[in-house]
Amino acid sequence: MADDRSLGSSSVGRLVSAAGVYGIAALFLAVGALLQATGIIRGFLTIQNMLNIVDAAALVGIVAVGMAFVTYSGHFADMSVPTTMGFTGYVCIELLRYGFIPAVIVALAIGLLIGLMNGFVVGKLKANPIIWTLAVNYVTMGVIRLIWVNKQIYPDMRGSGQKAVELFDNIYRLRFFNLIGLPVVMLLVLVVAGQFVMTKTSFGVKLKLTGSSLRAAKFSGISVERVITTAFVLTALTATIAGLAVTSLSRVGAWYNGAGYDFKAVTAIVIGGMTLAGGRGSILGVLGGSLIIGLLNNVLTLLGVGTFSQDMIRGAIFIVVVGINAKSLRSLGRDDA
Amino acid sequence: MEEREIGLALEMKRVSKRFPGTIAVDDVSFEVYAGEVHALVGENGAGKSTLMKMLAGSFDDYTGQICINGKEVKLHSPTQAKKYGIGMIYQELSLARPISIIENLLAGRLPRKGPLLDKARARSQAKGLLAHVGLDLDPELPIEDISQHEAQLVEIAKVLGNGPCILVMDEPTSALSREEVERLFQIIVQLKNRGIAVVYISHHLPEIFRIADRVTVMRDGKKIATKPIGEVTREEIVQMMVGRSVKEFYKRDERKIGETRLKVSGLSRFGFFHDVSFEARRGETLGICGLSGAGRSELAKVLAGLDRADEGRIELDGAEVRSGTMADALSRGIAYLTEDRKHEGLALRLTVGENIMAPIVDRLSSGSVFSKAKGAPLAAELIGELDIYPPDPERTVGNLSGGNQQKVLLAKWLASKPKVLILDEPTRGVDIGAKMTIHSSIEKLAREGCTVLLISSDLPELVGLSDRVMIMRKGHFTREMGFGECSEESLLLAANGALGAEGGA
Ligand SMILES: Nc1ncnc2c1ncn2[C@@H]1O[C@H](COP(=O)(O)OP(=O)(O)OP(=O)(O)O)[C@@H](O)[C@H]1O
Ligand SMILES: [Mg+2]
């Protein structure tokens, strides 16, 4: 048993455990196929549906890849993701009248600021990450309601230039070879970059130390505050990217644009084999976890399961995975999960 | 002493426990009488802790038989072990850190008034338990706010509070000061008189000769012998432990002491230490001696940038150092080996290699790309130099024996090649052979020009390694002794205040 622990830190071991996630994804695919073969659901095994799954998984995946850095740092999750997504979407639409590029840049800058703030408060002031980011989520929601008085806004309603509106509407609908959507490409780029940053850079090494033992990292002369802040910034930036995607795809700035992405992302992260205790797991695993979330949503929707029941099922899966995780850590003699 | 008519409290018959790649305990039979203090000794990694963890219910896959008070029992979980009256004081402190002393002490049996916690009673019960081990602390304090040695005593109080019939102490004194050790010995004698069986693990042989009735020696997972303490000498025990004879000795090479490197003037951190001034030179080993609570570790933490000074000035090579964080201090070449190996020293879930490279991540990176390969030769060299067992950088540190973990901690700081290295109890929990290895590494470091500040409760070590010793007492530097004047007796007298009128600080 102690062996797969040491294995877990080798790159081979990481691939093996990531492969496990893809095995589960394949299983879901098989279940979907079976349900279709037995006539319980229809239209699962079509190209269009597969694209839907991948597109949905891409949006969750983009958020999850960023948030995985927070989880890996030992700070569980960033619950401010939903309104970060919603808020930056509003801002971008509002600013389209100054052009597409400036609007996107300002949106990203706002994401950056939210990340910096979260990182400072959690890293430096040692606030509880869940409580703090939940609070930020509510406050941001309040800000949205204050500015836009509960209204949804549309890209073409703000007297923005035709070109900027079209660009904003269409960019995320871009499909390479008429097949692979821009969000999917973005996700793949983020996964490769994220995996590299986590395993090959000095920041990644420090992040692992911080996540494994915050005190030991600090007592090794690592600026843990800086490391934690960077993790929150990465999360906020990927949330902004996903927020703009959701806004562009739905062609509307709405407060609910990011709803549910916090929990979907955390679930993808833990299914992907990352422990909430920090310091263990990989971005490749998180990609697999996002695929599973995408597949699950799709199958459940085809089965006619309602949104609330879907949430419940996801919640149950989350609890089971975290439970298994904690148990396997305990049997390895480290119940510091 | 009465004869033992009470019989065997504990009988372990031909027990074994293997980990992948190692047999940690190999066919060991071990017996303890009620009312006996039984010492268990052996080198680092000999299997002492593993044998005792078996008893504490840590493993469900050991082989062999365990009998308690003559009845065979299965000890497959800590709950079972507790039920059979086994109390274990672990080598690595196991208290929950952010939680108050009360809750730690009374975990699982907090007094209640109806559905509510009976605060007043909990408090007085906790106070009573603490008083028993000679502590006068506010029981509402969280564990992380008290010092190492206090935490060790709280841990002892906690286990005693459960009223065990077999009590295991795994290196209980490695975090205690002399006065506290005396107090602990008194407690052990009381327990013994009440017919409790005590197993006592220590690397400090003089302690064993003071309190043990019998001693069992282990080597490489096997039991070598069990002897009444009167029938063996120190040399024989060491001989059995290592298979050859080892003497604790200090060889002083010619030392080259250079110009001033570290200059501290008027440094204070209110409530901990006041107006401390000293200079330390290149290649010099400056010992800092004091009772626990004298402010030694706190001084070290300020020098290392972990805490802020309220007053005073620190200069390194003539330039003022105002480090707000340890990262700052480290980048200037001031490194600090903490006394708290488990929480502050090592990331137990990571590998030996990752821990050794932790302070030099930036140095091993070009741009921001980290190169593990660049650090590998250094890690391998240090593992060899300090004789870390098993000699594998990919091992998880938490699976190493206590003494080997301590060596990894030192390796980490040797790797950082500091200008000033502050060592806080550097040989805690290591065996005699390993202690000599660590000492020669420290000597080598000093010879290469590093300034070493050595905080140690081990007086022979302090006398043997230091060029000068500063005596710290109640937060003040009271005097300095050159190598010539230092002896265990003179240091002890000075640390207690020459007149010895006042008690422990
Ligand atoms: N969880 C584990 N996984 C793998 N190997 C282990 C584990 N725990 C202990 N070992 C190995 O078992 C052997 C015995 O270790 P143990 O901790 O019992 O030694 P010890 O006698 O207590 O030493 P020390 O004096 O250093 O505390 C060592 O070789 C150690 O590396
Ligand atoms: Mg041990």
Side-chain angles (χ1 to χ4, degrees), chain A residues 2-3 5-6 9 200-202 205-206 208-209 211-213 215-216 218-223 277-278 334 336, chain B residues 20 97 306 326-327 330 343-344 346-347 349-351 354 358-359 361-362 365 368-370 394 396 398-399 412-413:
Chain A
D3 260 1
R5 166 164 285 269
S6 46
S9 61
K200 294 282 187 288
T201 63
S202 54
V205 175
K206 291 177 189 174
K208 184 171 188 185
L209 279 158
S212 302
S213 168
R215 279 174 83 81
K218 183 174 156 211
F219 275 75
S220 301
I222 288 168
S223 323
R334 306 264 172 283
D336 44 8
Chain B
R97 296 179 55 86
L306 285 157
M326 184 163 180
L330 191 60
H343 297 105
E344 301 174 346
L346 297 171
R349 288 190 278 149
L350 299 187
T351 66
E354 284 169 323
V361 174
D362 285 325
S365 310
S368 37
V369 178
F370 177 75
E394 297 298 328
T396 305
N399 289 349
K412 174 171 152 177
W413 294 116

Side-chain angles (χ1 to χ4, degrees), chain B residues 19 24 43-50 91 171 203 389-390 399 401-403:
Chain B
F19 295 109
E43 283 184 293
N44 292 134
K48 308 178 295 290
S49 298
T50 308
Q91 183 171 11
E171 299 189 30
H203 288 292
Y389 183 85
N399 289 349
S401 79

Side-chain angles (χ1 to χ4, degrees), chain B residues 431-464:
Chain B
D431 65 40
I432 318 173
K435 203 167 176 178
M436 296 300 108
T437 318
I438 289 180
H439 287 170
S440 64
S441 287
I442 296 174
E443 295 239 13
K444 180 168 150 241
L445 198 69
R447 239 180 292 127
E448 287 163 1
C450 177
T451 302
V452 178
L453 299 189
L454 176 66
I455 300 172
S456 177
S457 313
D458 184 338
L459 295 180
E461 174 172 290
L462 212 50
V463 174

Side-chain angles (χ1 to χ4, degrees), chain A residues 208-250:
Chain A
K208 184 171 188 185
L209 279 158
T210 306
S212 302
S213 168
L214 185 94
R215 279 174 83 81
K218 183 174 156 211
F219 275 75
S220 301
I222 288 168
S223 323
V224 287
E225 292 95 1
R226 202 177 303 165
V227 170
I228 294 165
T229 304
T230 311
F232 276 97
V233 165
L234 290 175
T235 308
L237 286 180
T238 57
T240 306
I241 293 173
L244 296 186
V246 173
T247 310
S248 154
L249 290 171
S250 59

